[in-house]
């Protein structure tokens, strides 16, 4: 029974069967929101799906040797880890099955950006290498805040179990942690104030510059799945604990949608920051709040 | 034609990604190509995306009369665009080398170097003509698939929808709108 539940969570909800259409939907929402903010009409509803199918039908450049094999492998690793991260999200209340903990979820969330860095360097294109270097610097900057924010939430409850974290009572500390997570999401999803790694006007598509066809389709899919996983993580932390599974699922989806909308509108309303401004923003302005959150979490635990 | 092929054909028609290449253009056509993505014309409604890398593109948009320096680059970039692909020549320059004809510094027209699918004439062409050309190219792309481009697939697009001067002349030639009788 446990195995069936675990498989159902990984393959159906919130896993692949839900996550892949949801990823396309969120990619569409992002493009549509940006278009509406710019006074355009924007792409049709099925656009990310058509893009995906079209990319599957294109040919790929011939690649040989170990670096060629690696270049084929990176997008697949990115997609599978992002899909695994979505499958781990504690959306449904106490369903049993495989309960991964927070550390596994964070590792799976981090893996796509590692793959992007590696992909840029193994493509041996100058634009790819610049993009990868930027992604590495960015990920060192925002991850400190991101991890501290999650750690503060976990430390206040003295648990790394995901389902226990999702059932937390609402507290000011939790909202502080959620705010810190929201500040990190644009950098994690390469959105506009922090869209340095794929700055399309400066370094073309950054690490993706040499990718084509099905491999590019996999990158697009993994980006969409990252959207679902990252917004879903925040949504599960915000969502109230519910017994009814369908209501929990609906609230999860609605909250994720709201976060996607918020991030897209922010992306459309802002311009790209320089790399040193970005790093300074995370290390100087945001880190203080994250450290405060962790400190108060530890303080609360020892007081109790 | 089975279901997968039909879906692929439909997707190709609805998701043309462009790569824009300037082969010595005066920047007039380039501005018009960007204008076709702007809020007034909004080519993204057709799924058009301007890509930074030729590897990602389906349709190569070339502007300018091919100069000596650009000729080799055009062949390289055409090779970097992966199949199935189509080429749109934007403006009169890549079609005929326009006013620069017989110049020593040119190796145009474009069709001497790569097979061109759609010509969008004009100096510069209007954004709606460019969008029509891209849509036509996407249609050709969807029908042709991975087969090599046939030599003779060249579709001139609306001569009337051309340059600013031409349009002004067309406006002037139009009969004045008659007053609506009450």
């Amino acid at each position: 029974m446990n195995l069936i539940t675990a498989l159902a969570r990984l393959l159906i909800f919130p896993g692949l069967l839900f996550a892949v259409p949801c990823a396309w939907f969120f990619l569409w929402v992002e493009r549509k929101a940006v278009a509406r903010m710019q006074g355009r009409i924007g792409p049709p509803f099925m656009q990310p799906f058509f893009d995906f199918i079209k990319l599957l039908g294109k040919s790929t450049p011939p690649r040989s040797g170990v670096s060629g094999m690696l270049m084929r492998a990176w997008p697949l690793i990115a997609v599978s880890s992002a899909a695994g991260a979505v499958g781990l999200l504690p959306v449904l209340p106490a369903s049993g099955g495989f309960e991964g903990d927070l550390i596994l979820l964070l590792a799976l969330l981090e893996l796509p950006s590692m793959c992007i860095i590696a992909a840029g360097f193994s493509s041996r294109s100058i634009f790819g290498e610049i993009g990868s270097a930027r992604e590495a610097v960015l990920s060192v900057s925002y991850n400190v805040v991101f991890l501290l924010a999650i750690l503060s939430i976990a430390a206040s409850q003295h648990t790394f179990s995901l389902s226990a974290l999702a059932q937390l009572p609402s507290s000011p500390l939790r909202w502080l942690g959620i705010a810190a997570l929201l500040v990190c999401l644009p950098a994690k999803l390469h959105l506009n104030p922090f869209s340095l790694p794929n700055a399309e006007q400066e370094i073309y598509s950054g690490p993706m510059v040499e990718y084509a066809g099905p491999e590019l389709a996999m990158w697009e899919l993994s980006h969409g799945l990252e959207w679902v996983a990252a917004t879903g993580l925040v949504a599960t932390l915000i969502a109230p604990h519910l017994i009814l599974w369908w209501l929990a699922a609906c609230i999860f989806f609605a909250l994720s949608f709201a976060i996607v909308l918020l991030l897209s509108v922010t992306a459309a309303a802002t311009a790209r920051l320089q790399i040193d401004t970005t790093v300074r923003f995370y290390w100087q302005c945001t880190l203080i709040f994250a450290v405060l959150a962790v400190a108060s979490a530890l303080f609360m635990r020892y007081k109790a | 034609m089975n279901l997968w092929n039909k879906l692929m054909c439909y997707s190709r028609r609805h998701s043309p990604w462009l790569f824009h290449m300037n082969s010595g253009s005066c920047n007039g056509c380039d501005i018009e190509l960007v204008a076709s993505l702007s809020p007034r014309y909004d080519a993204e409604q057709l799924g058009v995306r301007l890509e930074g890398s030729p590897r990602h593109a389906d349709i190569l948009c070339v502007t300018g009369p091919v100069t000596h320096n650009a000729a080799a680059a055009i062949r390289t970039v055409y090779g970097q665009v992966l199949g199935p692909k189509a080429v749109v020549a934007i403006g009169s320059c890549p079609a005929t080398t326009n006013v620069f004809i017989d110049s020593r510094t040119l190796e145009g027209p474009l069709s001497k170097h790569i097979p061109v699918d759609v010509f969008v004439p004009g100096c510069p062409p209007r954004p709606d003509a460019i969008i029509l050309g891209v849509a036509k190219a996407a249609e050709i792309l969807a029908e042709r698939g991975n087969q090599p481009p046939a030599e003779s697939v060249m579709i001139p697009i609306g001569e009337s929808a051309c340059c600013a001067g031409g349009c002004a002349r067309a406006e002037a030639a139009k009969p004045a709108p008659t007053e609506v009788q009450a």
Side-chain angles (χ1 to χ4, degrees):
Chain A
M1 194 61 202
N2 260 0
L3 184 69
I4 294 173
T5 330
L7 272 182
R9 280 182 64 170
L10 190 62
L11 294 180
I12 299 170
F13 186 87
L16 281 177
L17 199 66
F18 162 76
V20 172
C22 191
W24 288 327
F25 177 65
F26 284 173
L27 288 176
W28 173 76
V29 169
E30 185 217 348
R31 282 174 72 175
K32 186 83 176 173
V34 171
R36 295 306 307 178
M37 285 284 286
Q38 291 173 346
R40 295 186 285 120
I41 291 178
F45 180 66
M46 298 282 272
Q47 191 58 48
F49 174 70
F50 291 147
D51 289 348
F52 184 79
I53 298 289
K54 177 208 74 178
L55 285 173
L56 284 186
K58 277 183 80 82
S59 48
T60 44
R63 298 208 169 101
S64 57
V66 177
S67 72
M69 273 164 57
L70 282 176
M71 276 191 78
R72 286 180 198 285
W74 295 128
L76 294 178
I77 299 173
V79 165
S80 44
S81 68
V86 177
L88 274 183
L89 288 178
V91 183
L92 303 183
S95 50
F98 175 71
E99 285 196 17
D101 62 1
L102 193 58
I103 297 173
L104 179 61
L105 178 64
L106 290 179
L108 286 177
L109 266 181
E110 197 44 41
L111 212 53
S113 95
M114 296 284 172
C115 288
I116 289 174
I117 296 171
F121 279 118
S122 53
S123 74
R124 317 207 45 155
S125 144
I126 182 75
F127 302 112
E129 287 178 8
I130 294 173
S132 286
R134 286 179 174 191
E135 167 78 24
V137 171
L138 194 63
S139 118
V140 166
S141 311
Y142 76 76
N143 260 329
V144 177
V145 182
F146 190 76
L147 295 179
L148 281 180
I150 291 198
L151 201 67
S152 73
I153 299 173
S156 67
Q157 293 299 310
H158 201 196
T159 177
F160 275 121
S161 151
L162 280 171
S163 46
L165 281 178
Q167 293 164 15
L168 282 186
S170 165
S171 70
L173 178 67
R174 190 171 161 210
W175 288 107
L176 196 65
I178 288 169
L181 287 185
L182 277 179
V183 171
C184 295
L185 282 193
K188 201 161 187 61
L189 299 169
H190 308 154
L191 291 176
N192 213 350
F194 312 116
S195 63
L196 284 157
N198 53 355
E200 62 280 347
Q201 289 88 2
E202 307 160 21
I203 51 169
Y204 307 112
S205 353
M208 308 301 146
V209 79
E210 280 296 321
Y211 279 94
E215 296 162 357
L216 188 64
M218 287 300 136
W219 279 123
E220 293 273 320
L221 185 61
S222 95
H223 187 224
L225 289 173
E226 267 190 287
W227 268 99
V228 182
T231 57
L233 176 63
V234 181
T236 48
L237 288 176
I238 297 176
H241 177 50
L242 292 167
I243 303 295
L244 288 173
W245 68 269
W246 57 268
L247 197 58
C250 286
I251 287 183
F252 167 76
F253 186 74
L255 280 172
S256 306
F257 178 74
I259 296 166
V260 170
L261 217 52
L262 177 75
L263 291 177
S264 315
V265 168
T266 318
T270 49
R272 186 178 305 121
L273 295 175
Q274 286 179 333
I275 186 85
D276 47 348
T277 321
T278 307
V279 171
R280 207 176 301 131
F281 172 78
Y282 278 117
W283 281 100
Q284 289 184 356
C285 311
T286 328
L287 187 63
I288 300 169
F289 292 106
V291 171
L292 270 182
V294 171
S296 51
L298 292 175
F299 177 70
M300 271 169 64
R301 221 179 84 198
Y302 284 114
K303 210 179 68 173
Chain B
M1 195 188 268
N2 61 19
L3 194 65
W4 174 251
N5 284 348
K6 262 186 193 161
L7 181 64
M8 183 64 77
C9 195
Y10 194 79
S11 302
R12 277 177 186 153
R13 208 167 60 234
H14 286 81
S15 151
W17 290 5
L18 312 183
F19 180 75
H20 169 216
M21 176 149 191
N22 180 331
S23 68
S25 159
C26 69
N27 228 9
C29 299
D30 310 281
I31 290 172
E32 298 301 314
L33 178 62
V34 175
S36 69
L37 299 165
S38 67
R40 191 177 181 89
Y41 295 96
D42 193 20
E44 202 183 8
Q45 286 176 59
L46 302 177
V48 171
R49 235 166 82 167
L50 197 59
E51 283 292 324
S53 164
R55 293 277 193 220
H56 301 183
D58 306 295
I59 296 176
L60 180 61
C61 293
V62 184
T63 57
V66 183
T67 58
H68 277 311
N69 285 340
I74 278 192
R75 285 191 291 269
T76 310
V77 169
Y78 181 74
Q80 283 172 340
V81 179
L82 294 157
K85 60 188 166 187
V87 177
V88 180
I90 292 176
S92 299
C93 284
T96 62
T97 67
N98 207 5
V99 292
F100 308 109
I101 195 160
D102 290 340
S103 165
R104 287 175 294 174
T105 57
L106 293 186
E107 287 190 22
L110 181 66
S111 47
K112 264 175 31 187
H113 302 279
I114 54 176
V116 180
D117 294 295
V118 179
F119 286 104
V120 186
C123 184
R126 289 187 58 80
D128 31 21
I130 294 177
I131 293 173
L132 185 58
V134 167
K136 202 82 193 170
E139 229 168 76
I140 293 171
L141 187 79
E143 278 164 23
R144 188 172 64 203
N146 263 324
Q147 291 146 9
E151 282 293 322
S152 56
V153 190
M154 295 180 188
I155 301 168
I157 298 243
E159 287 283 346
S160 61
C162 58
C163 57
C167 288
R169 280 198 298 276
E171 286 292 321
K174 254 191 225 164
T178 48
E179 297 222 343
V180 180
Q181 299 294 321

